[in-house]
Amino acid sequence: MKAVYAEIITIGDEILYGQIVDTNSAWMGTELTKIGIRVKQITSVSDEASHIVEALDNAKTRADIILLTGGLGPTKDDLTKDVLADYFHTELKLDEQSLADITELFKNRGYGLTELNRQQAFLPASCKPVRNVLGTAPGMWFEDGGKVYVSMPGVPFEMKRMMTDIVLPQLKAFFKTPHIIHKVIQTVGIPESMLADTLDEWETNLPQHLKLAYLPHLGGVRLRLTGTGIDAAKLERELEAEVSKLDQLIPKYIFAHGEVVLEEALGQLLKERGLTIAAAESCTGGYLAHRITSVPGSSAYFMGGVVAYDNKVKMQLLGVKPETLQQHGAVSEATVLEMAQNVRQKLGTDIGVATSGIAGPDGGTPDKPVGTIWIAYADQHGAKAKLLQYNKNRQLNIEYTALAVLNLVRQSLNIAVDE
Amino acid sequence: MKAVYAEIITIGDEILYGQIVDTNSAWMGTELTKIGIRVKQITSVSDEASHIVEALDNAKTRADIILLTGGLGPTKDDLTKDVLADYFHTELKLDEQSLADITELFKNRGYGLTELNRQQAFLPASCKPVRNVLGTAPGMWFEDGGKVYVSMPGVPFEMKRMMTDIVLPQLKAFFKTPHIIHKVIQTVGIPESMLADTLDEWETNLPQHLKLAYLPHLGGVRLRLTGTGIDAAKLERELEAEVSKLDQLIPKYIFAHGEVVLEEALGQLLKERGLTIAAAESCTGGYLAHRITSVPGSSAYFMGGVVAYDNKVKMQLLGVKPETLQQHGAVSEATVLEMAQNVRQKLGTDIGVATSGIAGPDGGTPDKPVGTIWIAYADQHGAKAKLLQYNKNRQLNIEYTALAVLNLVRQSLNIAVDE
């Protein structure tokens, strides 16, 4: 059974100049992998016709599927449609369905149709139009020499809707694919190299068709075990067996299986225990609450929080004692403990957490340099604080701190259970 | 004068499988552009030696500089170093400086040096090592056939530090480059196609060596005017002249020049006026406060906020009247107005803002579907609310809402001045 390969070509100087981050390709890679299509390469090229053609010529030597994003806008620097018409030796003609969709879209937005947008309804005659229900640029599906070429807008939510509703199902139907199964194991609190040492013997003994990858990220190290085979059920059993071995090897560091982020795993844990939580934030400035509330259904356990950026707010809304702030300062164990205990008490939750630190770039002092951050956890048994020492930029200090708090809650809940 | 081209090659199945988003390339693209080096292509390849070699062979046909990231970790799936040693026909040998750096790093982290990490100090004999002060994988600088090849870790903050301190200055010194100057103009509150219509005549009359690009993103449409030339001062004057024309054409929609996000522009405006602000958030769950506090120095104008996720918190901490919540519901003009006015009054700020809506995916009703969101602005003159109707996913609803609030404040302040 032959593997099916896809290549993603993103078009636009804005990606090369770094004006925007290409998040589309990662999403497409995930979705294609799920249906057993392997992404062989992702290529970002400029808004030049010749460069787009060169990328197409190279891609078709390696891949069965070529997915293009970008360059479909109404403006002068959008060339993709014309390039594809030339590439497949065809003409642009008006697609009535697309014109109707675009007209409808503008009606709903309360705008009249512009000539530029009307031109977006002209598509290469040899393509199957791919409807865009969220934007003005229709997609295009070409079949040529047994290969499939699909052009989609670069606007993420338009492309995603198009892929989900139309392109992925059609690709699934068009190609026979081998089974590629991924098992993801989420770890936190252990560095990659230590993890690799701990797992070395197990990894060395993995069968040839199972492959382990270490994916370090802000929140910890993600382990991805990938299996390829003909018998899906057998492959599934083999992978599950190896995952169980992993659970035995590093129980303390695994917080979830699968594509679950720490805040989701924690939310699940809180729901199961029927516990509620509140956050008092200084240096994280609302980011911790945002991470917790980014999980659908988080209103079941997250009651709310206070962003106490100014010391007045720490006193007024959180009842932190003026003496505490005077004697120890805002960035101190005493202050962060009061913040956690008081937000818990004021919002009537089971758990209270707090952050206070110097995110930077300014505000550092010799004894409290940028990256000096206190976090705290409080529940009915009492409260504890932890000092974090980072030497990172503002954004990283904020993100690491939020993740450290989430992990502190996770560990505290697990310890509570172990007892 | 010949342009200098760079290509970026990112190595790792995790990017192709979509397990991580490639944010490195965008950052590198921005930094290279700043020193007049044009990124010709960004290529993401798998962890296979043959594929890495193929990418190198292709890149050197187009580019003078090839920058590689990833595949330098201590684990079995990291092949870059061995591939480069073969590619440049050289051997791995111990680099004492790197070993010293790695040993030092582990000492500071309180861990002993593992054999895996010790191996990271072995580098191809023909490369100039590039010091990594933040991680265990040294970078490598190769010169071959007049071209430069640099291999760096994929960990973003390690790569960025290496580029900033060592690689970018060395590339600047190594290559003579033409002048490429970008002017970025930030707009908000007008769709791309309308903007294009408004600017069509001006854009058509631009001289050949000046190029306009429309870069739509969540926060609005970014305009990038790019000029290429030999006389930097002349080019600068030409670009400034065109930017002034733009300021005349669309004064109401331009919120900043340059790489400034809306929260930075707003922060600047608040500082100039000596105004303070507080936020009361329901559906944005802390994200609005996070966006405001992501700006260094925001503590000068942002006093704090309340994340009132639960109605009890809306009443207790924000003093929203129970009748208001009973009669109109949490997602209503009346509630969001009280939230904005009360957070302003309780925190003693000049401005109060608030959000209350249904971010989704759950919680929608026939008369208040997912995406029904109220935002409000309050100052000493009074308060106003605005209804937003989105039909997006949870994350997008949260982000759009935060940006709508920031723009509402910006508009309110500008109107206040116009009066």
Side-chain angles (χ1 to χ4, degrees), chain A residues 13-23 25-27 29-30 33 38-48 51 54 58 61-62 73-78 106 109 111-112 114-117 134 157 180 182 184 191-194 196-197 200 203-204 211-217 222 224 226 259 284-287 289-290 293-299 302-310 312-313 316-317 346-347 360-362 391-392 394-396 398 400, chain B residues 13-23 25-27 29-30 33 38-48 51 54 58 61-62 73-78 106 109 111-112 114-117 134 157 180 182 184 191-194 196-197 200 203-204 211-216 222 224 226 259 284-287 289-290 293-299 302-310 312-313 316-317 346-347 360-362 391-392 394-396 398 400:
Chain A
D13 291 342
E14 61 269 29
I15 290 176
L16 300 177
Y17 289 150
Q19 302 272 5
I20 62 169
V21 173
D22 172 26
T23 55
S25 299
W27 184 87
T30 309
T33 304
R38 293 192 206 186
V39 175
K40 180 78 181 173
Q41 183 166 311
I42 300 166
T43 310
S44 296
V45 300
S46 63
D47 288 317
E48 294 158 34
H51 198 178
E54 183 186 343
N58 286 326
T61 64
R62 289 177 298 248
T75 58
K76 290 188 170 51
D77 56 332
D78 295 300
F106 268 68
R109 290 183 185 172
Y111 298 123
T114 69
E115 179 50 32
L116 277 174
N117 289 106
L134 297 175
F157 64 88
I180 301 175
H182 297 282
V184 171
E192 180 182 11
S193 57
M194 304 239 142
D197 282 343
D200 184 56
E203 186 182 354
T204 312
K211 192 180 168 207
L212 182 73
Y214 294 80
L215 313 173
H217 59 100
R222 201 195 273 112
R224 191 191 64 236
T226 304
E259 285 307 339
T284 47
Y287 183 72
H290 166 59
T293 58
S294 67
V295 180
S298 45
S299 53
F302 182 73
M303 294 301 105
V306 173
V307 180
Y309 226 50
D310 190 79
K312 281 207 274 2
V313 179
Q316 284 167 8
L317 289 188
K346 281 187 182 294
L347 272 65
D362 311 316
N391 179 21
K392 303 189 169 18
R394 181 179 183 84
Q395 192 52 39
L396 282 174
I398 291 170
Y400 273 94
Chain B
D13 291 342
E14 62 270 28
I15 290 176
L16 300 176
Y17 290 150
Q19 302 273 3
I20 63 170
V21 173
D22 172 27
T23 55
S25 299
W27 184 88
T30 310
T33 304
R38 293 192 206 187
V39 176
K40 181 78 182 174
Q41 183 166 312
I42 300 166
T43 310
S44 296
V45 300
S46 64
D47 287 317
E48 294 158 35
H51 198 179
E54 184 186 343
N58 286 325
T61 65
R62 288 178 298 250
T75 60
K76 288 188 171 53
D77 56 332
D78 295 301
F106 267 67
R109 290 183 185 172
Y111 300 122
T114 69
E115 179 50 31
L116 277 174
N117 290 107
L134 297 175
F157 63 87
I180 302 175
H182 298 284
V184 171
E192 180 183 10
S193 58
M194 304 242 144
D197 281 344
D200 183 56
E203 186 182 354
T204 312
K211 193 182 166 206
L212 182 75
Y214 294 79
L215 314 173
R222 202 194 274 113
R224 192 191 62 236
T226 303
E259 284 308 336
T284 46
Y287 183 73
H290 166 59
T293 58
S294 67
V295 180
S298 46
S299 53
F302 182 72
M303 294 300 106
V306 174
V307 180
Y309 227 51
D310 191 77
K312 282 208 272 4
V313 180
Q316 284 167 7
L317 289 190
K346 281 187 182 294
L347 271 64
D362 311 317
N391 179 20
K392 304 191 172 7
R394 181 180 183 84
Q395 192 53 41
L396 283 174
I398 291 171
Y400 273 94

Side-chain angles (χ1 to χ4, degrees), chain B residues 261-328:
Chain B
V261 291
L262 187 50
E263 52 268 38
E264 289 178 278
L266 182 59
Q268 197 50 44
L269 201 55
L270 291 167
K271 263 195 221 164
E272 285 164 12
R273 307 269 180 93
L275 298 171
T276 58
I277 188 167
E281 303 182 64
S282 185
C283 64
T284 46
Y287 183 73
L288 173 57
H290 166 59
R291 286 298 289 262
I292 296 172
T293 58
S294 67
V295 180
S298 46
S299 53
Y301 48 85
F302 182 72
M303 294 300 106
V306 174
V307 180
Y309 227 51
D310 191 77
N311 281 349
K312 282 208 272 4
V313 180
K314 292 186 182 75
M315 295 184 279
Q316 284 167 7
L317 289 190
L318 289 174
V320 174
K321 295 195 211 71
E323 314 85 81
T324 310
L325 290 166
Q326 281 148 24
Q327 288 166 29
H328 305 278

Side-chain angles (χ1 to χ4, degrees), chain A residues 86-125:
Chain A
D86 292 349
Y87 197 74
F88 294 113
H89 314 295
T90 180
E91 298 294 315
L92 294 183
K93 71 180 235 293
L94 179 67
D95 178 57
E96 294 297 348
Q97 178 63 65
S98 299
L99 183 60
D101 289 346
I102 295 167
T103 312
E104 174 70 11
L105 196 82
F106 268 68
K107 215 172 93 247
N108 295 344
R109 290 183 185 172
Y111 298 123
L113 190 65
T114 69
E115 179 50 32
L116 277 174
N117 289 106
R118 194 171 168 284
Q119 283 167 20
Q120 294 189 282
F122 285 78
L123 302 177

Side-chain angles (χ1 to χ4, degrees), chain B residues 88-318:
Chain B
F88 296 112
H89 315 293
T90 180
E91 298 294 314
L92 293 184
K93 71 179 233 297
L94 178 66
D95 177 58
E96 293 296 348
Q97 179 63 65
S98 299
L99 183 61
D101 290 344
I102 295 167
T103 311
E104 176 68 13
L105 196 83
F106 267 67
K107 215 172 93 247
N108 296 343
R109 290 183 185 172
Y111 300 122
L113 190 66
T114 69
E115 179 50 31
L116 277 174
N117 290 107
R118 197 175 165 281
Q119 284 167 20
Q120 294 189 282
F122 284 80
L123 302 177
S126 70
C127 82
K128 267 191 257 167
V130 181
R131 275 185 89 170
N132 182 351
V133 292
L134 297 175
T136 57
M140 295 167 271
W141 172 290
F142 297 88
E143 295 173 17
D144 186 74
K147 297 178 186 294
V148 171
Y149 303 73
V150 188
S151 167
M152 290 169 283
V155 181
F157 63 87
E158 293 179 26
M159 176 280 293
K160 289 176 184 174
R161 179 72 176 268
M162 227 179 242
M163 283 282 284
T164 308
D165 292 358
I166 303 164
V167 178
L168 289 166
Q170 283 185 194
L171 289 175
K172 218 166 163 178
F174 196 95
F175 292 96
K176 302 262 169 298
T177 61
H179 296 289
I180 302 175
I181 304 178
H182 298 284
K183 296 288 170 185
V184 171
I185 301 93
Q186 306 282 355
T187 76
V188 62
I190 177 170
E192 180 183 10
S193 58
M194 304 242 144
L195 198 52
D197 281 344
T198 316
L199 302 181
D200 183 56
E201 191 190 343
W202 167 77
E203 186 182 354
T204 312
N205 295 325
L206 281 175
Q208 274 301 322
H209 63 294
L210 303 187
K211 193 182 166 206
L212 182 75
Y214 294 79
L215 314 173
H217 58 100
L218 268 178
V221 179
R222 202 194 274 113
L223 297 171
R224 192 191 62 236
L225 191 62
T226 303
T228 309
I230 293 161
D231 183 340
K234 180 163 167 291
L235 193 56
E236 185 69 39
R237 285 194 303 275
E238 291 175 311
L239 288 164
E240 284 301 347
E242 295 302 336
V243 171
S244 323
K245 289 184 198 166
L246 266 180
D247 291 339
Q248 307 294 321
L249 281 166
I250 46 169
K252 269 194 163 8
Y253 303 114
I254 295 177
F255 69 81
H257 293 168
E259 284 308 336
V260 176
V261 291
L262 187 50
E263 52 268 38
E264 289 178 278
L266 182 59
Q268 197 50 44
L269 201 55
L270 291 167
K271 263 195 221 164
E272 285 164 12
R273 307 269 180 93
L275 298 171
T276 58
I277 188 167
E281 303 182 64
S282 185
C283 64
T284 46
Y287 183 73
L288 173 57
H290 166 59
R291 286 298 289 262
I292 296 172
T293 58
S294 67
V295 180
S298 46
S299 53
Y301 48 85
F302 182 72
M303 294 300 106
V306 174
V307 180
Y309 227 51
D310 191 77
N311 281 349
K312 282 208 272 4
V313 180
K314 292 186 182 75
M315 295 184 279
Q316 284 167 7
L317 289 190
L318 289 174

